[in-house]
Amino acid sequence: MNEKINVLDNGYVRLTNVMGSDLSVVNSARVSYDKESTELDEKDIRLIKFLAREGHTSPFRHATLQFEVYAPLMVARQHWKYIVGSDHTMDAWNESSRRYVTEEPMFYIPQADEWRSAPENSKQGSGSTIDIDEGADFTEELMDFVEKGEWLYNDAISRGICAEQARLFLPAYGMYVRYYWTASLQSVTHFLNQRLAHDSQVEIQEYAKAVYSLVKPKFPISIDELTRTEV
Amino acid sequence: MNEKINVLDNGYVRLTNVMGSDLSVVNSARVSYDKESTELDEKDIRLIKFLAREGHTSPFRHATLQFEVYAPLMVARQHWKYIVGSDHTMDAWNESSRRYVTEEPMFYIPQADEWRSAPENSKQGSGSTIDIDEGADFTEELMDFVEKGEWLYNDAISRGICAEQARLFLPAYGMYVRYYWTASLQSVTHFLNQRLAHDSQVEIQEYAKAVYSLVKPKFPISIDELTRTEV
Amino acid sequence: MNEKINVLDNGYVRLTNVMGSDLSVVNSARVSYDKESTELDEKDIRLIKFLAREGHTSPFRHATLQFEVYAPLMVARQHWKYIVGSDHTMDAWNESSRRYVTEEPMFYIPQADEWRSAPENSKQGSGSTIDIDEGADFTEELMDFVEKGEWLYNDAISRGICAEQARLFLPAYGMYVRYYWTASLQSVTHFLNQRLAHDSQVEIQEYAKAVYSLVKPKFPISIDELTRTEV
Amino acid sequence: MNEKINVLDNGYVRLTNVMGSDLSVVNSARVSYDKESTELDEKDIRLIKFLAREGHTSPFRHATLQFEVYAPLMVARQHWKYIVGSDHTMDAWNESSRRYVTEEPMFYIPQADEWRSAPENSKQGSGSTIDIDEGADFTEELMDFVEKGEWLYNDAISRGICAEQARLFLPAYGMYVRYYWTASLQSVTHFLNQRLAHDSQVEIQEYAKAVYSLVKPKFPISIDELTRTEV
């Protein structure tokens, strides 16, 4: 399995593995009644709708998915916070670290037409995109600043400073990190419900949309019943 | 997938689904170094040994397995207690319930040569099997008592008592229940390490052996490195 | 701390320990804004209502409670299933076991006026209580059957059978077990929301009511906002 | 409760709440035998040693602690990764976010005598401290770079860019974040065992030492049996 969706300037989400289907959700639910289906029929679909509507979520935990994600640290960090901060713990996570990796760092740089204004009536989130000329200024400033940070980082490394301290010079919020995320279908949809919401950061919404697109063909009924959202 | 191993007089374990392999363990570990293998080689095997030996268990959490188990309630209960009592929570569980099911109950009855004596120097566990003639007495007594309980249960049901109270008449420790168990490879091996131990109850050891036999062909390297045990 | 509420004929729930308060919920939520309250005011109460209403549950996970419960195995089992079957895993559990304990077993026996009929239009649950005279019959039958089971159990023990097999003679659904349960406030209220519902078994509803009564004075605002239920 | 230990140039760890004691560990373990102690005696201490030695960790999960931590993001991130990456999930976490907070950011800047060299024979970690004069250069360079980043951040904010994008200008690895962490005693000691190890980053070792010092007076026996380490 190797389906991959590109996100932002250099990022992506890849579905690396999956266990289960809409049918296995149904069969996990039916164990209470000692019944098993071999093909998804109308009755099974009604059962999935019932389970999702009534909040009987345990059958959705018997299906699992593994993703490889390449995302700016600020996105990875929101993703982590959702997992640690929520009570949905059927998740595994392994991530690259700049304590080890010495490959060239890669950074997310918003293009001239991607900078957003502060929202009018809220402490968080963002409003409309700003004027493209002013955006071009910020893109250039950020590229210069990131370049300067990389230069200082490489200089420190070459003068013998340990990688774990040298990284203090990197503007890390935009730096790409790579991680494997394994989660139950329930946990994935909980993430989608939070991160597809309009008040979540635009950049993580893009990753959530990619996750949705990869999951949809594998669990066509369950995913829509559990997210109940227009994507 | 439908591999099934019979256990005790009427029970079984079935491996219903699996995600991942020894190779996916290796690749989850290698994300820290941005490396990926497509075929398991000697270096990968050494990595698995290193991870298991050093207790770096997170890569083993990216592989998951689903089992269907049919076991006496006293076995299911020890299985539950291990899961709730441990800190290894990447598990899903759905089980039949006598609040719903009205099918004929099925009971585990030790045969004449399967009754065990109390151990000499311990508060728990069991010693050698007892004399077969005395064993035959206990088997008959238990069959009679279970039959009496079933009769009382069916009588209560037929006289209109709700199933959730009528079941008070069932000698439930030996009654078979059916459940789906989904767990990470790490969680499965933690269960095996506890339940293959010689001081665990003989009946649950039988289930642990069946789980081991089903998992071994799917994760030939990881399972032995993580259990480090002779089965 | 030693508040205790008796439940059923021989059971109880005891609140053995607690960490946090409505105020600590508020302060855990306010860390995002680097603010801290020392006394609960109107603004704090509005914040708790907002968090509960919007499903921002993580602040409720910083408060924890420990209970000692003495309940029939069929109740303990439903309690376990909720914990293993749900995704709310911030729970610890330690329970007595008949593999070790050799003290006299204790059983739940419904009184003559406590036996309930099967519900009219449902596969689970129960309807109204049955006629008291017929109830008296069931109570007597169950007492006789339990007594017979205890006699067979004690006989097996005295003839040298190990406790872990001898218990097959006990009508275990009604047998009392003792356990410590430690859970976050979020997990406790999730349990209450499920177990105070009218379709849950009457016996576990009694335990849920006891838990509610013990928690209410410790988290007067949070508990009602999170359960939103009339008890 | 308000015990606080300062760490690094501007950070700290504060123990904000605790539930349980060595005695409650003992009593949680003894529920299997229906016994309870009211004062810790020699026999109880031997039980704790036995539980820790044999890996019977569930009784240590009935004690919980809450900390407030103020640490550079790179430390908070290692702390998160341990929690998400491990299977020890009885943890709650709430953290400040630069999507909301607009207060002045604060940064960790190593002093002239605190910069460390790359280790000789390892891909990670660090060796001895470097020459103080060269260290002074790096401290100055980092101060200048951080100042530049703050200036660009504030400029972007004042020109109307949303906070969630403006933060791309901050050298975030060294930026302080504030979080509440609630965990079982088992989870806390697992963190200590990992983070007190000599190959973990010096900066997080400092936080682990502070956590140890705050926990030690509350669980004097358990903490040393579970960490078995010289601090």
Side-chain angles (χ1 to χ4, degrees):
Chain A
M1 189 172 303
N2 226 326
E3 290 138 277
K4 182 177 163 181
I5 295 183
N6 292 323
V7 187
L8 301 183
D9 51 359
N10 291 293
Y12 61 83
V13 180
R14 203 158 63 93
L15 179 61
T16 49
N17 223 332
V18 67
M19 179 176 93
S21 62
D22 283 333
L23 192 61
S24 59
V25 170
V26 165
N27 285 331
S28 300
R30 290 256 170 74
V31 72
S32 304
Y33 302 93
D34 293 340
K35 298 230 168 72
E36 187 169 2
S37 292
T38 52
E39 213 171 322
L40 201 74
D41 64 18
E42 276 310 308
K43 213 176 147 193
D44 296 331
I45 292 174
R46 280 201 304 277
L47 176 58
I48 292 176
K49 290 181 190 225
F50 168 80
L51 294 169
R53 193 175 63 237
E54 298 294 315
H56 296 316
T57 49
S58 66
F60 300 102
R61 302 181 69 220
H62 291 278
T64 56
L65 303 104
Q66 186 189 41
F67 302 92
E68 182 188 330
V69 183
Y70 192 57
L73 191 139
M74 71 180 175
V75 167
R77 204 171 158 253
Q78 291 178 340
H79 195 169
W80 293 334
K81 282 168 98 170
Y82 138 76
I83 290 176
V84 180
S86 93
D87 203 10
H88 293 259
T89 53
M90 203 168 155
D91 292 83
W93 187 288
N94 272 66
E95 189 192 311
S96 62
S97 164
R98 284 225 77 82
R99 290 189 68 211
Y100 310 72
V101 178
T102 47
E103 63 160 350
E104 199 76 9
M106 176 87 79
F107 290 87
Y108 165 57
I109 312 278
Q111 299 303 303
D113 60 351
E114 292 176 337
W115 292 90
R116 303 185 300 277
S117 60
E120 304 255 327
N121 301 306
S122 172
K123 283 179 188 169
Q124 69 171 104
S126 54
S128 53
T129 51
I130 65 164
D131 179 81
I132 193 166
D133 291 335
E134 199 167 20
D137 287 353
F138 285 117
T139 297
E140 202 182 313
E141 279 179 19
L142 183 55
M143 286 179 70
D144 287 351
F145 185 66
V146 163
E147 199 177 321
K148 171 78 175 165
E150 287 191 275
W151 188 91
L152 288 164
Y153 169 77
N154 288 324
D155 181 56
I157 291 288
S158 71
R159 287 162 69 192
I161 294 294
C162 57
E164 66 191 24
Q165 280 188 318
R167 63 182 169 167
L168 290 167
F169 285 106
L170 296 173
Y173 270 134
M175 190 187 67
Y176 278 94
V177 295
R178 183 177 284 109
Y179 55 96
Y180 280 103
W181 172 45
T182 295
S184 74
L185 179 59
Q186 183 193 8
S187 190
V188 171
T189 52
H190 186 71
F191 165 74
L192 291 177
N193 283 332
Q194 288 203 328
R195 295 310 176 196
L196 292 171
H198 294 308
D199 62 345
S200 75
Q201 186 164 349
V202 171
E203 283 82 1
I204 201 166
Q205 286 183 42
E206 296 302 315
Y207 280 87
K209 283 175 195 166
V211 167
Y212 174 86
S213 299
L214 291 166
V215 176
K216 170 73 178 166
K218 307 295 177 190
F219 299 91
I221 309 297
S222 298
I223 193 70
D224 283 344
E225 293 304 318
L226 287 168
T227 56
R228 294 163 210 199
T229 187
E230 302 302 318
V231 183
Chain B
M1 190 171 306
N2 227 327
E3 290 137 278
K4 183 178 163 182
I5 294 183
N6 292 324
V7 187
L8 302 183
D9 52 357
N10 290 292
Y12 62 82
V13 180
R14 203 159 63 91
L15 179 61
T16 50
N17 223 332
V18 66
M19 180 175 92
S21 62
D22 283 333
L23 191 61
S24 59
V25 169
V26 165
N27 285 331
S28 300
R30 290 256 170 73
V31 71
S32 304
Y33 301 93
D34 292 342
K35 299 231 165 71
E36 188 170 0
S37 292
T38 53
E39 212 170 323
L40 201 73
D41 62 20
E42 277 309 308
K43 212 176 147 194
D44 296 330
I45 292 174
R46 280 201 304 277
L47 176 57
I48 292 176
K49 289 179 191 225
F50 168 80
L51 294 168
R53 193 175 63 238
E54 298 293 316
H56 296 317
T57 51
S58 66
F60 300 101
R61 302 182 69 219
H62 292 278
T64 56
L65 302 105
Q66 185 189 42
F67 302 92
E68 182 187 331
V69 184
Y70 191 57
L73 192 139
M74 70 180 177
V75 167
R77 204 172 158 252
Q78 291 178 340
H79 196 168
W80 294 335
K81 280 168 100 170
Y82 138 75
I83 291 175
V84 179
S86 93
D87 203 10
H88 293 259
T89 54
M90 203 168 156
D91 292 84
W93 187 286
N94 272 67
E95 187 193 311
S96 61
S97 165
R98 285 224 77 82
R99 292 190 66 211
Y100 310 73
V101 177
T102 47
E103 64 159 350
E104 199 76 10
M106 176 86 80
F107 289 87
Y108 165 57
I109 311 279
Q111 298 304 303
D113 60 350
E114 292 176 338
W115 292 91
R116 303 184 301 277
S117 58
E120 305 256 328
N121 301 307
S122 172
K123 283 180 187 169
Q124 68 172 105
S126 53
S128 53
T129 52
I130 65 163
D131 178 80
I132 193 165
D133 290 335
E134 199 168 20
D137 287 352
F138 285 117
T139 297
E140 202 183 313
E141 278 179 18
L142 184 56
M143 285 178 71
D144 287 350
F145 186 67
V146 162
E147 200 178 318
K148 172 77 174 165
E150 286 191 275
W151 188 91
L152 288 164
Y153 170 78
N154 287 325
D155 180 57
I157 292 286
S158 72
R159 288 161 71 192
I161 294 295
C162 57
E164 65 191 24
Q165 280 187 317
R167 62 180 168 167
L168 289 166
F169 285 106
L170 297 172
Y173 269 133
M175 191 188 66
Y176 277 95
V177 296
R178 184 178 283 109
Y179 54 95
Y180 280 103
W181 173 44
T182 296
S184 73
L185 179 60
Q186 183 193 8
S187 191
V188 171
T189 51
H190 186 70
F191 165 74
L192 291 177
N193 284 331
Q194 288 204 328
R195 295 309 177 197
L196 292 173
H198 294 306
D199 62 345
S200 75
Q201 186 164 350
V202 171
E203 284 81 2
I204 201 167
Q205 286 183 39
E206 296 301 315
Y207 281 87
K209 283 175 196 166
V211 167
Y212 175 85
S213 298
L214 292 165
V215 175
K216 170 72 180 168
K218 305 296 177 191
F219 299 91
I221 309 297
S222 297
I223 193 70
D224 284 344
E225 293 304 318
L226 286 167
T227 55
R228 294 163 211 201
T229 186
E230 302 302 318
V231 184
Chain C
M1 190 172 305
N2 227 325
E3 289 138 277
K4 183 178 165 181
I5 294 183
N6 292 322
V7 187
L8 302 182
D9 51 359
N10 290 294
Y12 61 83
V13 180
R14 203 157 64 91
L15 179 61
T16 49
N17 222 332
V18 66
M19 180 175 92
S21 63
D22 283 333
L23 191 60
S24 59
V25 170
V26 165
N27 285 332
S28 299
R30 290 256 170 74
V31 72
S32 303
Y33 302 94
D34 293 341
K35 297 232 168 69
E36 188 170 0
S37 290
T38 52
E39 212 170 325
L40 200 75
D41 63 18
E42 277 310 308
K43 212 175 148 193
D44 296 330
I45 292 173
R46 280 201 304 276
L47 176 58
I48 291 175
K49 289 180 192 225
F50 168 80
L51 295 169
R53 193 175 64 238
E54 298 293 316
H56 296 317
T57 50
S58 66
F60 299 102
R61 302 181 69 219
H62 292 278
T64 56
L65 301 103
Q66 186 190 39
F67 301 91
E68 182 187 330
V69 183
Y70 192 58
L73 191 138
M74 71 180 176
V75 166
R77 205 170 157 253
Q78 292 178 340
H79 194 168
W80 293 336
K81 282 168 99 170
Y82 139 75
I83 290 175
V84 179
S86 93
D87 203 10
H88 293 260
T89 54
M90 203 170 155
D91 292 83
W93 187 287
N94 273 66
E95 189 192 310
S96 61
S97 164
R98 285 225 77 80
R99 291 189 68 212
Y100 310 73
V101 177
T102 46
E103 64 159 351
E104 199 74 10
M106 174 87 78
F107 289 87
Y108 165 57
I109 312 278
Q111 298 303 303
D113 59 350
E114 292 176 338
W115 291 91
R116 302 184 301 278
S117 59
E120 306 255 327
N121 300 307
S122 173
K123 283 181 189 168
Q124 69 171 106
S126 53
S128 54
T129 51
I130 64 162
D131 179 79
I132 193 165
D133 291 335
E134 201 168 16
D137 287 353
F138 285 116
T139 298
E140 204 182 312
E141 278 178 18
L142 184 55
M143 285 178 70
D144 287 351
F145 185 67
V146 163
E147 202 178 318
K148 173 78 174 163
E150 286 190 274
W151 188 91
L152 288 163
Y153 170 77
N154 287 324
D155 180 56
I157 292 286
S158 71
R159 287 161 70 192
I161 294 295
C162 58
E164 66 190 25
Q165 279 188 319
R167 61 181 170 167
L168 289 167
F169 286 106
L170 296 173
Y173 269 133
M175 192 189 65
Y176 277 95
V177 295
R178 184 177 284 110
Y179 54 96
Y180 281 103
W181 173 44
T182 295
S184 74
L185 179 60
Q186 184 194 6
S187 191
V188 171
T189 52
H190 187 70
F191 165 75
L192 290 177
N193 284 331
Q194 289 203 327
R195 296 309 176 195
L196 292 172
H198 294 307
D199 63 345
S200 74
Q201 186 164 350
V202 171
E203 284 81 1
I204 202 167
Q205 286 184 41
E206 296 302 315
Y207 280 87
K209 283 175 195 167
V211 167
Y212 175 85
S213 299
L214 291 165
V215 176
K216 170 72 179 167
K218 306 296 177 190
F219 298 91
I221 309 298
S222 298
I223 192 70
D224 284 344
E225 292 304 319
L226 286 167
T227 56
R228 294 166 211 199
T229 188
E230 302 302 317
V231 182
Chain D
M1 189 171 305
N2 226 325
E3 290 138 276
K4 183 178 164 182
I5 294 183
N6 292 323
V7 187
L8 302 183
D9 52 358
N10 290 294
Y12 60 83
V13 180
R14 203 159 62 92
L15 179 61
T16 50
N17 223 332
V18 66
M19 181 175 92
S21 62
D22 284 331
L23 191 60
S24 59
V25 169
V26 166
N27 285 330
S28 299
R30 289 257 170 74
V31 71
S32 304
Y33 302 94
D34 293 341
K35 298 231 167 72
E36 188 171 1
S37 292
T38 53
E39 211 170 323
L40 201 75
D41 63 19
E42 277 310 309
K43 212 175 146 194
D44 296 331
I45 292 174
R46 280 199 304 275
L47 176 58
I48 292 176
K49 288 179 192 226
F50 168 81
L51 294 168
R53 194 175 62 237
E54 298 293 316
H56 296 318
T57 51
S58 66
F60 300 102
R61 301 181 69 218
H62 292 277
T64 56
L65 303 103
Q66 186 189 40
F67 301 92
E68 182 187 331
V69 183
Y70 192 57
L73 192 137
M74 70 179 177
V75 167
R77 203 169 159 254
Q78 292 177 339
H79 195 168
W80 293 335
K81 282 168 100 170
Y82 138 77
I83 290 175
V84 179
S86 92
D87 203 10
H88 293 258
T89 53
M90 204 169 157
D91 292 84
W93 187 287
N94 273 66
E95 188 193 310
S96 62
S97 164
R98 284 225 78 81
R99 291 189 67 212
Y100 309 73
V101 178
T102 47
E103 63 159 351
E104 199 75 11
M106 175 88 78
F107 290 86
Y108 165 57
I109 311 278
Q111 298 304 302
D113 58 352
E114 293 176 337
W115 292 91
R116 302 185 299 279
S117 58
E120 304 257 327
N121 302 309
S122 172
K123 283 179 187 170
Q124 69 171 104
S126 53
S128 53
T129 51
I130 64 163
D131 178 79
I132 194 165
D133 291 333
E134 200 168 18
D137 286 353
F138 285 116
T139 298
E140 202 181 314
E141 279 178 20
L142 183 55
M143 287 178 70
D144 287 349
F145 186 66
V146 163
E147 199 178 321
K148 173 78 174 164
E150 286 191 275
W151 188 91
L152 288 163
Y153 169 78
N154 288 324
D155 180 57
I157 291 287
S158 72
R159 287 160 70 189
I161 295 294
C162 57
E164 66 191 23
Q165 280 187 318
R167 61 180 169 167
L168 289 166
F169 286 105
L170 296 174
Y173 270 133
M175 192 188 66
Y176 277 95
V177 295
R178 183 178 283 110
Y179 55 95
Y180 280 102
W181 174 44
T182 295
S184 74
L185 179 59
Q186 183 193 8
S187 191
V188 170
T189 52
H190 187 70
F191 165 74
L192 290 178
N193 283 331
Q194 290 205 325
R195 294 311 177 194
L196 292 172
H198 294 308
D199 62 344
S200 74
Q201 186 165 349
V202 171
E203 284 81 1
I204 202 167
Q205 286 184 39
E206 296 300 315
Y207 280 87
K209 284 175 195 166
V211 167
Y212 175 84
S213 298
L214 291 165
V215 175
K216 169 73 179 166
K218 306 296 178 191
F219 299 91
I221 309 297
S222 298
I223 193 70
D224 284 343
E225 293 303 319
L226 286 167
T227 55
R228 294 166 211 198
T229 187
E230 301 302 318
V231 182

